[in-house]
Amino acid sequence: MPGTTPEVLFVCVHNAGRSQMAAALLDHHAAGRVVVRSAGSKPADQLNPAVVEAMAEIGLDISKEFPKPLTDEAVHAADVVITMGCGDECPYFPGKTYLDWKLDDPAGRGIEAVRPIRDEIDARVRALIAELVPPTTS
């Protein structure tokens, strides 16, 4: 995609945990080189408090974020759609790159259980950036 900024959409069921962490981490690490969105097939009322706490531990404040509904427009706009446990509830459009990240669901779990999920997402996000954005040469 020379000359264009890749767009990534993270999707999970509630958009209250995994997809929110992934979006914040990608936005942070990509530093403007990737357009990032997240959504849920059945958005929750609020973010998982343990997820907010786990992200704050690594210096990322997602406390002002909120679960967003998944729309066809968001999927159409994305170059890469990364699903996390939404199965058949996530729409499929031909021509899009889909990745399914199998991750534990942080719903109803405390900070001790959320940290390893956060760290796994962080490793996957860093690998994704390496694939999407060529290293800058100076």
Side-chain angles (χ1 to χ4, degrees):
M1 295 176 277
T4 64
T5 303
E7 296 194 27
V8 176
L9 173 64
F10 292 102
V11 183
C12 64
V13 176
H14 299 296
N15 191 224
R18 294 167 288 190
S19 57
Q20 291 281 352
M21 287 190 285
L25 287 161
L26 180 56
D27 189 57
H28 172 73
H29 293 310
R33 296 174 295 164
V34 178
V35 175
V36 184
R37 292 185 182 87
S38 71
S41 54
K42 294 180 182 170
D45 294 330
Q46 65 183 25
L47 296 191
N48 177 332
V51 165
V52 174
E53 182 181 351
M55 295 303 285
E57 287 181 346
I58 60 169
L60 296 178
D61 179 7
I62 64 169
S63 64
K64 303 261 188 297
E65 293 296 328
F66 57 92
K68 294 167 267 319
L70 179 62
T71 64
D72 287 352
E73 292 79 19
V75 178
H76 278 297
D79 297 302
V80 179
V81 179
I82 299 175
T83 58
M84 304 171 176
C86 59
D88 293 338
E89 294 182 30
C90 294
Y92 177 83
F93 294 100
K96 299 290 173 191
T97 299
Y98 285 85
L99 301 172
D100 185 40
W101 288 1
K102 305 255 188 262
L103 298 159
D104 290 337
D105 187 347
R109 301 173 85 180
I111 186 73
E112 296 295 328
V114 173
R115 283 185 189 119
I117 299 168
R118 175 202 63 204
D119 295 344
E120 174 67 20
I121 291 170
D122 190 45
R124 290 179 187 218
V125 160
R126 289 172 188 263
L128 179 67
I129 292 169
E131 291 177 30
L132 291 176
V133 183
T136 54
T137 55
S138 36

